[in-house]
Amino acid sequence: MSTYITIIIAAVLTNNFVLSKFYGCCPFLGVSKKLDSSMGMGMAVIFVMICASLVTYPIYYFILEPLDLTYLRTVAFILVIAVFVQLLEIVMKKVMPPLYKTLGVYLPLITTNCAVLGVTIMNIDESYNFGESIVNAFFSGFGFALAMILFSGVRSRVDESESDTPAMFRGIPATLVAAAIVSMSFLGFGGLGQ
Amino acid sequence: MNYGKEFMKGLIRENPVFVALLGMCPTLAVTTGAFNGIGMGLSTTFVLICSNLVICLLKKAIPQQVKLPCYIVIIATFVTLIQFLLHGFVPALYTSLGAFLELITVNCIILGRAEMFASKNGVVASVLDGAGMGLGFTLALFLMGSIREIFGSGTWFGISIPVLETHTMSLFVMPAGGFFVLGIVIAIVCKLSKKKPPKKLGCSACPNAAVCSAKCEEAE
């Protein structure tokens, strides 16, 4: 049980996926303008991370490892994830149209987002078992969503006071400096759960 | 076709990091030292040149509907190759880059160049474009890595610098420092080039853009 708690604290607070590991910076900086889009994105990332971990775990331990092909994991993971997404999209469209409407648009993300590939690689590198992998995926996604939601609040303030910002900082540079301050505040959690 | 121009544009004028704002994740994550920055940059350059070459040669054979999976598999192959090379010859770099070496696969610079350049242009131009963009990326990572290492650890390529060595600001090598230094550098680049700082990331080449920016615009 204590390993699960350690994983949860690390994934959400001490080693937050965006703010200290820099996985998934593109959506973090690109979509975090408004609260509701941040939340939608966050939920979708949690969902796709769990799905990706579910498929890649058996592939690594039941196919690649027995055959001594672990070095192929990058190619295998990305290919399998891509195929799986296509399947999921078709099935979802047919079976659960309401869910497809809310989450469907985000599904292509699963293929080429470094946060998603990152979490599957991390599960293997940290040699988590199946349960731990799923918990790690869920809470890594949760940490991502938390960072995005917090940051969207900060960012709306930064954007509001744009006229006070020096001209050379308006736009992305100011956003990055704001992200640095949010990331600094997460440093306060360091040492927790050890 | 002016081959020199294809090569030079990636270095400064269309620098993938400071001007086009692509490939943010590795830029922020691995630049805690100048050596790491160069290592990551050159690995990415290798993958970029090879994938541009192969994709350019196969552009007629790859069907339009499944081009993304095809590109990704080609890129992932070269990433596996560079992983082996680094593991064998530069194990220290292999360890310090960690998962980010594998994540070159989903680096939007590589996919972006495949989509926007290699699938439309000739072989020589594609290779030169890959080399130019890759070296521009390396230059950016080297600059970021140097700034963070000099101020954060008081060293440069591991050689200690007098005065700064005893007055380190460890914030610079922490994750927060990555965001901070990148923000400052982009602001300075905009000031020097007398351009307005960009409002958005260079997402146009990213396969996720349809999802991300659609959501963005909906919110606005």
Side-chain angles (χ1 to χ4, degrees):
Chain A
M1 197 59 213
S2 66
T3 44
Y4 285 99
I5 293 170
T6 317
I7 291 173
I8 293 172
I9 291 175
V12 180
L13 299 174
T14 52
N15 283 323
N16 186 285
F17 234 54
V18 194
L19 295 171
S20 58
K21 285 192 169 163
F22 301 115
Y23 292 137
C25 288
C26 300
F28 176 67
L29 296 170
V31 190
S32 60
K33 275 192 184 139
K34 288 277 150 60
L35 184 64
D36 52 348
S37 58
S38 301
M39 272 167 89
M41 190 74 174
M43 296 306 128
V45 167
I46 295 177
F47 179 72
V48 293
M49 274 182 173
I50 293 176
C51 291
S53 300
L54 276 175
V55 269
T56 52
Y57 185 90
I59 286 169
Y60 188 83
Y61 286 105
F62 298 128
I63 300 176
L64 294 181
E65 210 173 49
L67 293 176
D68 227 2
L69 291 173
T70 49
Y71 61 88
L72 280 181
R73 69 173 179 185
T74 321
V75 185
F77 280 13
I78 199 110
L79 195 61
V80 166
I81 292 174
V83 172
F84 176 76
V85 173
Q86 295 279 325
L87 269 177
L88 197 67
E89 204 171 346
I90 297 167
V91 171
M92 227 184 192
K93 214 171 186 172
K94 205 86 187 156
V95 184
M96 296 170 282
L99 190 64
Y100 178 77
K101 253 189 148 172
T102 45
L103 285 182
V105 281
Y106 292 106
L107 277 181
L109 271 184
I110 211 173
T111 345
T112 52
N113 185 312
C114 57
V116 175
L117 188 62
V119 82
T120 60
I121 290 173
M122 186 184 163
N123 286 337
I124 306 294
D125 282 347
E126 303 279 320
S127 46
Y128 289 147
N129 65 32
F130 190 67
E132 287 165 348
S133 297
I134 302 302
V135 170
N136 182 42
F138 177 79
F139 283 96
S140 294
F142 182 76
F144 178 88
L146 181 73
M148 271 192 80
I149 290 167
L150 287 178
F151 189 57
S152 71
V154 174
R155 195 169 172 181
S156 65
R157 289 292 184 89
V158 172
D159 287 350
E160 260 170 37
S161 55
E162 199 175 74
S163 50
D164 303 331
T165 321
M168 64 195 265
F169 276 97
R170 276 175 207 168
I172 289 289
T175 311
L176 284 166
V177 174
I181 296 169
V182 175
S183 166
M184 230 184 286
S185 69
F186 270 69
L187 281 181
F189 294 114
L192 206 69
Q194 275 170 5
Chain B
M1 173 98 23
N2 187 344
Y3 289 133
K5 216 174 86 193
E6 297 301 344
F7 177 71
M8 290 307 290
K9 68 169 190 234
L11 288 180
I12 312 269
R13 204 162 49 81
E14 289 180 30
N15 187 292
V17 178
F18 296 143
V19 181
L21 301 182
L22 290 168
M24 288 286 157
C25 310
T27 311
L28 292 164
V30 300
T31 52
T32 48
F35 181 66
N36 277 0
I38 289 201
M40 182 70 185
L42 291 182
S43 312
T44 311
T45 310
F46 170 80
V47 178
L48 189 53
I49 295 175
C50 296
S51 67
N52 259 11
L53 175 70
V54 172
I55 288 167
C56 180
L57 290 172
L58 290 176
K59 67 186 167 206
K60 292 220 173 66
I62 295 174
Q64 196 63 22
Q65 298 89 335
V66 288
K67 61 177 179 180
L68 193 60
C70 293
Y71 293 168
I72 289 180
V73 172
I74 293 169
I75 296 167
T77 313
F78 289 113
V79 171
T80 313
L81 205 64
I82 192 85
Q83 261 184 298
F84 275 131
L85 291 173
L86 286 192
H87 195 120
F89 293 108
V90 212
L93 188 65
Y94 178 82
T95 325
S96 60
L97 293 182
F100 276 92
L101 201 55
E102 279 183 87
L103 292 177
I104 294 179
T105 322
V106 285
N107 188 321
C108 41
I109 298 175
I110 300 180
L111 267 176
R113 292 329 284 177
E115 175 97 15
M116 284 168 52
F117 201 91
S119 58
K120 291 173 194 153
N121 288 282
V123 177
V124 182
S126 297
V127 170
L128 286 175
D129 174 79
M133 284 290 165
L135 291 178
F137 184 62
T138 312
L139 188 74
L141 290 192
F142 166 67
L143 191 65
M144 285 274 297
S146 300
I147 296 173
R148 289 180 69 184
E149 194 183 341
I150 289 171
F151 289 109
S153 340
T155 57
W156 196 49
F157 286 104
I159 304 161
S160 56
I161 297 168
V163 185
L164 283 174
E165 184 194 16
T166 44
H167 299 81
T168 56
M169 291 175 265
S170 54
L171 179 73
F172 276 85
V173 284
M174 284 175 179
F179 286 112
F180 183 70
V181 173
L182 185 62
I184 301 281
V185 172
I186 292 177
I188 292 174
V189 167
C190 292
K191 185 82 183 170
L192 292 179
S193 62
K194 298 197 178 65
K195 272 191 223 152
K196 272 191 178 169
K199 294 263 179 222
K200 276 188 188 151
L201 296 183
C203 290
S204 59
C206 168
N208 293 335
V211 181
C212 271
S213 55
K215 246 9 222 181
C216 260
E217 273 147 31
E218 197 181 290
E220 280 164 12

